[in-house]
Amino acid sequence: PPYVDIGMCVNETYRRRNIGTHIVMKLREYCRENGLIPGASCQSSNVASKKTLEKAGMVCVDRVLDIEF
């Protein structure tokens, strides 16, 4: 299946206005209309990004571990 990675970056001046959520929702809509399967990721410490993705309908299904030596 055609998986795609989606994401957004919102300038600090415009954060906390649901702009990121709107962007992700529009990207998901585009994917559905074009037969694509969207995926997204963020650092586990980035709580705001995780909340934004979840508000836009994304669901956490995996966890990536960052291992340092």
Side-chain angles (χ1 to χ4, degrees), residues 2 10 17 20 29 32 35 38-40 43 46 51 57:
V10 178
R17 299 182 188 186
E29 181 181 317
R32 278 193 304 274
Q43 294 289 327
N46 192 339
K51 285 182 181 180

Side-chain angles (χ1 to χ4, degrees), residues 1-67:
Y3 294 96
V4 295
D5 187 31
I6 62 172
M8 54 48 208
C9 183
V10 178
N11 183 292
E12 285 186 40
T13 307
Y14 299 99
R15 291 181 185 167
R16 303 185 62 81
R17 299 182 188 186
N18 290 318
I19 293 170
T21 301
H22 182 75
I23 291 169
V24 174
M25 289 173 71
K26 286 297 187 182
L27 288 170
R28 289 184 68 226
E29 181 181 317
Y30 175 86
C31 289
R32 278 193 304 274
E33 291 171 353
N34 291 279
L36 303 170
I37 301 169
S41 63
C42 66
Q43 294 289 327
S44 59
S45 59
N46 192 339
V47 178
S49 184
K50 184 176 185 288
K51 285 182 181 180
T52 297
L53 292 169
E54 289 172 342
K55 279 175 39 178
M58 304 296 283
V59 225
C60 183
V61 294
D62 284 315
R63 197 172 296 271
V64 176
L65 300 176
D66 204 12
I67 301 173

